[in-house]
Amino acid sequence: MLLEIKDLHVNYGAIKAVKGISFYVDKGEIVTLIGANGAGKTTTLRTITGLERAANGTVHFKDKDITNIAPHRIVEMGITHVPEGRRIFTNLTVMENLKMAALLRKDPEGKKASYEEVFELFPRLKERRSQPSITLSGGEQQMLAVGRAIVTGGDLVVLDEPSMGLAPKIVDEIFEVIQRMNKEGKTILLNEQNAFMALSIANRAYVLETGNITIEGPASDLLTDPRVKEAYLGS
Amino acid sequence: MEKFIQLLVYGLQLGSIYALLAIGYTMVFGIIRMINMAHGDFLMMGSYAVFFIVSLFFADQMLGPAIALFVILAGASITGFIGVGVERIAYKPLRNRPKISSMIAAIGVSLFTQNFFRAIPFIGPNPRTFPKLLKDVLFYVGPIQLSLVRIVVIILSIVIMSVLYFIIMKTTIGMEMRAASCDKDASSLMGINVNRVISATFFIGAGLAAISGAFYANNYPVLTVTMGATLGNKAFIAAVIGGIGDIRGAVLGGFIMGVIEIMISSVYSELAYGISFVVLIIILLLKPEGLLGKPMIEKV
Ligand SMILES: Nc1ncnc2c1ncn2[C@@H]1O[C@H](COP(=O)(O)OP(=O)(O)OP(=O)(O)O)[C@@H](O)[C@H]1O
Ligand SMILES: [Mg+2]
């Protein structure tokens, strides 16, 4: 198991956002968490990378206990987090954003190659490399957010709703890149409201409802599960 | 005309002191969105630090330029570390609380340092006379008499501020500072140690305040534990005039404040401080975000 979550509880003051969930991600998998607004998907990811504190339970990565350690140290251990809402540095240029993502990389050759890879995947970013990134469109900002993850190059990439607010064509583009990252050896943990897209590319899936995991299994099973169909696939 | 140029030099010199001090307000605001009400006290601590280094090691000597510079940088480093300590002890525990808490903490730090220093026998309560760091040389450009030390202070300040600007724009730690000022969570997800970046910001801010204090005391050589308060207020106004959060704005605001203050006090000295506020209000009415500030974009 690359990532293992056991009995995780997370609270915001009196609000219990995550109420004791357990799940795991194996090396090489694409695993998705789906669920409605406010189910606790973002909270779960933010706790994995140390942005929120676990009130209870543990997070193990590569067999090490990483519960509640500082985010920058978790990133260093190999988890790359593409946060909800993109969160690019709007006061930095496109290239500077990528350089920030490369902070922890020690190999100058690999760094350069990863910039090239991003520009190859997203030619629009190449054209805009020295532009302040506040001038990017929403889709381009998401490309940059995913581009940063490619540059950071952790073994596990967690993505929080990469499709949010994007045109279908750009969603396809982003999902293709996610699948390609997976083929190149990255393990993927994906939060999505777009359950159909997520289940189509994932190996396994968990359904989160108000802080609890209610359904879990192979993604292909969930695609045909009547409960999932009714609640999340709109049919 | 001669008079005007002389006043302009005085104004630019005072302005460079305000600018160096204003940078700390603006950098700290940029990174933790807090007005550090105790920032002026770093100027006071810096001047005392330089005072003590000189009295301990170079008493009754005229310092050469190299030693003077070294002494100032030593004072700046000491103050820089104090700045880091103040943030760690007083502000960091309140970082995720409402901003008003850290404002109050800052006022507390200010009151504490002033009174604590006053109580230490070898510092307060009596004013100290700051040593002349450099012997001044007067020279003439045509009919205009100028002071070499004033010119050197202006040039040195500009050099220091340019180096800082280079650091912020071109080096990794500078880029980390800009990233962290935009989004701390996202920065830590890039592997940036945000606490380290905030400490670096306080080190630079407090260090520059100390340099500003040494330059100030070289001209107005009376040290008191409250000297940082008024200067701090003016530098804060300068930072706001320039657009708080923007370093170039702080520099511009500092020079504007210095020149206006000197020009006005040459006519009627009692008015100078009051006029600074009038300038602040006029500029903010015309351009609420300050001269170089960007309109605030609310985060969604
Ligand atoms: N910073 C916060 N402070 C207080 N409550 C929060 C905070 N963030 C999230 N919550 C609450 O925690 C619960 C889970 O939120 P979370 O953002 O994890 O859900 P989500 O599944 O990611 O939803 P969405 O699909 O809308 O992104 C919600 O009830 C939300 O209101
Ligand atoms: Mg969410």
Side-chain angles (χ1 to χ4, degrees):
Chain A
M1 263 176 274
L2 187 64
L3 179 76
E4 186 180 26
I5 313 303
K6 273 199 217 141
D7 193 33
L8 184 70
H9 290 74
V10 189
N11 309 325
Y12 297 103
I15 302 168
K16 296 192 184 330
V18 172
K19 306 167 188 165
I21 62 171
S22 301
F23 67 96
Y24 68 92
V25 181
D26 274 329
K27 195 171 173 347
E29 279 191 305
I30 300 183
V31 171
T32 180
L33 302 178
I34 57 179
N37 290 116
K41 305 182 296 292
T42 298
T43 305
T44 304
L45 293 197
R46 286 175 59 85
T47 312
I48 291 171
T49 38
L51 292 170
E52 306 292 346
R53 283 193 75 76
N56 221 322
T58 56
V59 181
H60 281 80
F61 179 64
K62 295 181 182 167
D63 297 322
K64 282 196 212 72
D65 189 349
I66 60 162
T67 321
N68 293 337
I69 72 176
H72 66 270
R73 292 187 42 217
I74 294 181
V75 177
E76 208 170 351
M77 295 170 81
I79 305 185
T80 303
H81 184 159
V82 182
E84 186 172 67
R86 304 163 193 128
R87 308 287 285 265
I88 61 165
F89 304 116
T90 48
N91 57 340
L92 268 55
T93 64
V94 169
M95 194 62 212
E96 285 174 336
N97 266 275
L98 294 179
K99 281 188 181 162
M100 281 293 99
L103 264 187
L104 295 173
R105 293 190 68 142
K106 301 283 174 269
D107 51 332
E109 296 299 307
K111 250 188 220 183
K112 267 217 188 110
S114 70
Y115 299 149
E116 286 314 312
E117 187 183 347
V118 171
F119 289 143
E120 205 176 295
L121 288 170
F122 304 115
R124 274 147 77 180
L125 294 183
K126 185 169 191 170
E127 291 162 29
R128 291 165 174 73
R129 60 199 294 169
S130 28
Q131 238 167 275
S133 55
I134 193 156
T135 61
L136 299 183
S137 73
E140 289 159 355
Q141 292 194 359
Q142 188 66 64
M143 292 172 190
L144 181 54
V146 173
R148 282 196 311 203
I150 291 171
V151 171
T152 305
D155 306 312
L156 172 67
V157 181
V158 303
L159 298 108
D160 200 344
E161 308 225 21
S163 75
M164 190 166 41
L166 301 184
K169 193 172 151 291
I170 300 190
V171 176
D172 288 344
E173 215 175 303
I174 300 276
F175 270 68
E176 255 168 51
V177 171
I178 294 171
Q179 279 178 293
R180 187 181 141 150
M181 287 165 83
N182 177 246
K183 287 212 185 72
E184 284 169 0
K186 307 287 179 203
T187 306
I188 308 282
L189 175 58
L190 174 67
N191 267 7
E192 259 301 337
Q193 276 203 50
N194 187 338
F196 181 75
M197 283 297 280
L199 291 174
S200 322
I201 68 162
N203 304 102
R204 288 186 307 112
Y206 295 87
V207 177
L208 219 57
E209 267 172 46
T210 57
N212 292 297
I213 290 178
T214 51
I215 308 172
E216 60 180 274
S220 50
D221 290 5
L222 266 69
L223 265 176
T224 55
D225 187 309
R227 291 169 298 172
V228 176
K229 268 181 147 172
E230 187 180 343
Y232 303 106
L233 298 174
S235 60
Chain B
M1 187 63 200
E2 287 108 72
K3 184 90 200 284
F4 177 79
I5 294 199
Q6 260 171 3
L7 288 176
L8 188 66
V9 171
Y10 282 28
L12 290 176
Q13 193 219 344
L14 187 60
S16 60
I17 287 162
Y18 291 153
L20 287 169
L21 193 56
I23 288 173
Y25 279 103
T26 233
M27 284 181 77
V28 166
F29 181 83
I31 206 138
I32 54 176
R33 295 288 181 278
M34 166 205 169
I35 306 295
N36 179 16
M37 307 295 274
H39 186 65
D41 296 301
F42 292 144
L43 175 145
M44 177 270 289
M45 291 184 232
S47 338
Y48 274 98
V50 171
F51 168 80
F52 282 115
I53 295 171
V54 174
S55 346
L56 281 177
F57 301 106
F58 306 100
D60 302 323
Q61 277 172 245
M62 207 63 219
L63 310 180
I67 294 185
L69 195 63
F70 170 79
V71 167
I72 291 174
L73 290 179
S77 312
I78 294 170
T79 315
F81 283 115
I82 296 177
V84 172
V86 165
E87 193 276 328
R88 283 286 158 100
I89 295 166
Y91 304 156
K92 188 173 168 219
L94 302 172
R95 207 180 286 158
N96 297 320
R97 301 284 178 78
K99 289 294 162 236
I100 192 80
S101 315
S102 46
M103 285 267 283
I104 291 167
I107 295 172
V109 167
S110 180
L111 290 174
F112 173 79
T113 41
Q114 290 178 20
N115 288 295
F116 179 70
F117 276 35
R118 199 197 311 275
I120 302 178
F122 62 89
I123 297 183
N126 297 326
R128 298 283 179 155
T129 307
F130 194 76
K132 268 260 165 287
L133 293 179
L134 280 177
K135 196 161 143 5
D136 204 357
V137 180
L138 298 175
F139 65 100
Y140 287 86
V141 178
I144 309 161
Q145 190 196 45
L146 292 171
S147 133
L148 185 62
V149 167
R150 283 181 198 274
I151 306 275
V152 166
V153 164
I154 296 170
I155 293 172
L156 214 50
S157 305
I158 291 173
V159 169
I160 291 168
M161 294 184 284
S162 311
V163 169
L164 175 71
Y165 194 68
F166 176 84
I167 290 175
I168 303 271
M169 296 313 288
K170 296 289 172 208
T171 67
T172 306
I173 181 75
M175 231 190 291
E176 289 181 27
M177 283 175 169
R178 284 185 289 141
S181 77
C182 175
D183 189 329
K184 275 186 227 13
D185 279 356
S187 304
S188 58
L189 292 179
M190 304 291 114
I192 297 174
N193 182 345
V194 175
N195 287 330
R196 204 185 108 239
V197 173
I198 293 176
S199 292
T201 307
F202 270 83
F203 184 86
I204 294 174
L208 292 181
I211 295 177
S212 159
F215 287 169
Y216 180 80
N218 196 52
N219 266 53
Y220 309 88
V222 183
L223 301 188
T224 67
V225 292
T226 51
M227 65 188 284
T230 318
L231 291 169
N233 285 345
K234 290 185 194 167
F236 171 60
I237 296 175
V240 175
I241 289 178
I244 192 137
D246 188 302
I247 289 177
R248 290 165 308 170
V251 174
L252 180 65
F255 281 118
I256 291 177
M257 287 282 295
V259 171
I260 290 182
E261 183 176 328
I262 293 290
M263 294 291 174
I264 290 171
S265 30
S266 76
V267 184
Y268 188 59
S269 68
E270 304 300 313
L271 268 183
Y273 195 22
I275 297 282
S276 314
F277 280 98
V278 175
V279 172
L280 168 75
I281 289 164
I282 293 174
I283 289 180
L284 292 187
L285 280 176
L286 297 176
K287 209 161 178 297
E289 63 277 10
L291 293 172
L292 298 184
K294 291 175 201 69
M296 286 274 183
I297 301 167
E298 285 301 322
K299 277 215 188 117
V300 268

